Amino acid sequence: MTKITPQPGIMDIELYQGGASHVEGLTNVVKLSSNENPFGPSEAAKEAFRKAAFDLHRYPSTDHASLREAIGQVHGVDSARVICGVGSDEIIAFLCQAYAGPGDEVIHTEHGFALYKIGAMANGATPVEVRERERVTDVDAILAACTERTKLVFIANPNNPTGTMIGEGELTRLADGLPPQTLLVIDGAYAEYVEGYDGGASLVDRRDNVVMTRTFSKLYGLGGLRVGWGYGPSHVIDVLNRIRGPFNLSQAALVTAEAAVRDTAWAEKCRNDNTRMRAWLAEALAGHGVASDTSMANFILARFPSRADAEACDDYLKSEGLIVRRVAGYKLPNCLRITVGDEPSCRRVAHAVGQFMGDE
């Protein structure tokens, strides 16, 4: 009989469920389940990817210097304190691996991204769930939950799947109130969708207990390449680089991400289009009696009277070739998360929700 067993806690992790991408029997399907940029990457990024095909036999850079420099220039951060990873997911995993273990606690909010809990459990730490206040991060609740065992606090700002966020004053109050052994991680996967918001970078510069994570998978349209980055104090980035694989990002990913971040005109266009269609879709859904909080991301969390109503609406949307995301796994069983697509997609989903609600 085998005695090969995984580390304690790993088999207690529930498998992550990504957004669906197809409906059996239908071909004209619109995927609005994974918060992807409907316009895709910029032409500059696609050209960089095409050119990368000629260097597939070469190992990539181990220090990611060129991409880090581009990130520093565009986002106004110190490139020496930037670390790049396979999506921001890998940066989150590095943080849990480096700072959380058996006997430690990792705080996340009740509707927060699933990988915070997974990262804690994968390293033997105890995830601690903290309530939100009407689907908004509650700083007082987080501070009250902190103990001498708290090593990491994860918040997404804007949050997924709620789309809500807290302001710089609350972020600062949170960072200032944490125990001395605790690191605050601000997940800024959707930060680029908020005009004038730096994702927490200025707070990182003012504190030695704050790290920011970002991604190229959302606004920049590179979800298929898996590129993310983190920004933090030198003492944290030094630690993370010690456990980062030397070739964790491919050459194609590095050059494509660099082209993407430097194409600021495309990023601005995508942000503006998202802002316009997000407002339109929220208003259209409200007109059909479907409420939502003010979203600061590229999706809307549509709220229905009950779980049965949400699931029935999801089934109807699927029958119409529209794939959205059920979020019962995030303790929001009466909600559906709907990605803001291009204008035809938004109009199509709003019309279908209206038909389901009996308005059209």
Side-chain angles (χ1 to χ4, degrees), residues 145-213:
C146 288
T147 71
E148 69 280 356
R149 297 170 60 192
T150 305
K151 292 297 183 67
L152 293 166
V153 171
F154 283 102
I155 67 165
N157 203 51
N159 188 38
N160 172 30
T162 63
T164 61
M165 68 181 293
I166 59 175
E168 184 175 351
E170 284 292 271
L171 287 173
T172 301
R173 187 165 72 87
L174 176 56
D176 287 348
L178 292 177
Q181 80 284 355
T182 304
L183 193 61
L184 171 62
V185 183
I186 303 172
D187 182 347
Y190 299 92
E192 281 88 358
Y193 287 103
V194 185
E195 186 71 37
Y197 174 52
D198 68 3
S202 59
L203 189 59
V204 172
D205 288 334
R206 299 195 306 270
R207 301 289 187 280
D208 64 359
N209 66 337
V210 182
V211 174
M212 172 186 73
T213 64

Side-chain angles (χ1 to χ4, degrees), residues 88-102:
S88 53
D89 298 357
E90 189 176 37
I91 309 300
I92 291 168
F94 288 158
L95 287 161
C96 291
Q97 183 181 351
Y99 292 101

Side-chain angles (χ1 to χ4, degrees), residues 50-322:
R50 282 191 286 265
K51 289 181 177 179
F54 296 99
D55 292 317
L56 295 181
H57 58 303
R58 303 295 186 190
Y59 276 95
S61 158
T62 61
D63 63 8
H64 310 150
S66 187
L67 176 56
R68 290 190 296 105
E69 183 64 28
I71 289 170
Q73 291 173 2
V74 172
H75 290 285
V77 298
D78 179 3
S79 62
R81 294 191 284 131
V82 170
I83 181 173
C84 299
V86 183
S88 53
D89 298 357
E90 189 176 37
I91 309 300
I92 291 168
F94 288 158
L95 287 161
C96 291
Q97 183 181 351
Y99 292 101
D104 297 330
E105 294 177 345
V106 175
I107 287 178
H108 63 92
T109 63
E110 64 179 314
H111 305 309
F113 187 34
L115 284 193
Y116 310 147
K117 181 178 180 180
I118 291 173
M121 296 176 70
N123 290 281
T126 301
V128 176
E129 181 180 293
V130 174
R131 65 172 177 80
E132 295 178 14
R133 185 175 59 250
E134 294 295 315
R135 298 167 300 280
V136 178
T137 296
D138 187 332
V139 169
D140 291 321
I142 291 174
L143 293 176
C146 288
T147 71
E148 69 280 356
R149 297 170 60 192
T150 305
K151 292 297 183 67
L152 293 166
V153 171
F154 283 102
I155 67 165
N157 203 51
N159 188 38
N160 172 30
T162 63
T164 61
M165 68 181 293
I166 59 175
E168 184 175 351
E170 284 292 271
L171 287 173
T172 301
R173 187 165 72 87
L174 176 56
D176 287 348
L178 292 177
Q181 80 284 355
T182 304
L183 193 61
L184 171 62
V185 183
I186 303 172
D187 182 347
Y190 299 92
E192 281 88 358
Y193 287 103
V194 185
E195 186 71 37
Y197 174 52
D198 68 3
S202 59
L203 189 59
V204 172
D205 288 334
R206 299 195 306 270
R207 301 289 187 280
D208 64 359
N209 66 337
V210 182
V211 174
M212 172 186 73
T213 64
R214 302 286 279 271
T215 186
F216 282 88
S217 297
K218 303 305 178 185
L219 183 74
Y220 294 110
L222 298 182
L225 275 189
R226 312 305 302 126
V227 186
W229 57 283
Y231 183 56
S234 296
H235 70 90
V236 173
I237 300 303
D238 175 65
V239 168
L240 301 188
N241 273 319
R242 292 172 187 271
I243 58 177
R244 176 180 64 83
F247 302 111
N248 60 326
L249 286 176
S250 70
Q251 180 65 11
L254 288 169
V255 298
T256 305
E258 180 179 348
V261 75
R262 290 192 182 281
D263 195 340
T264 55
W266 180 254
E268 183 176 5
K269 175 197 178 300
C270 292
R271 178 170 50 249
N272 290 340
D273 285 348
N274 177 80
T275 299
R276 176 173 58 87
M277 292 314 303
R278 181 180 63 200
W280 182 91
L281 182 58
E283 184 176 352
L285 294 177
H288 297 308
V290 178
S292 64
D293 297 312
T294 299
S295 173
M296 303 303 293
N298 69 332
F299 58 84
I300 288 172
L301 186 69
R303 301 202 309 273
F304 294 83
S306 69
R307 178 172 189 157
D309 289 323
E311 293 181 350
C313 184
D314 180 46
D315 289 338
Y316 179 76
L317 292 175
K318 285 180 183 175
S319 73
E320 295 293 311
L322 297 163

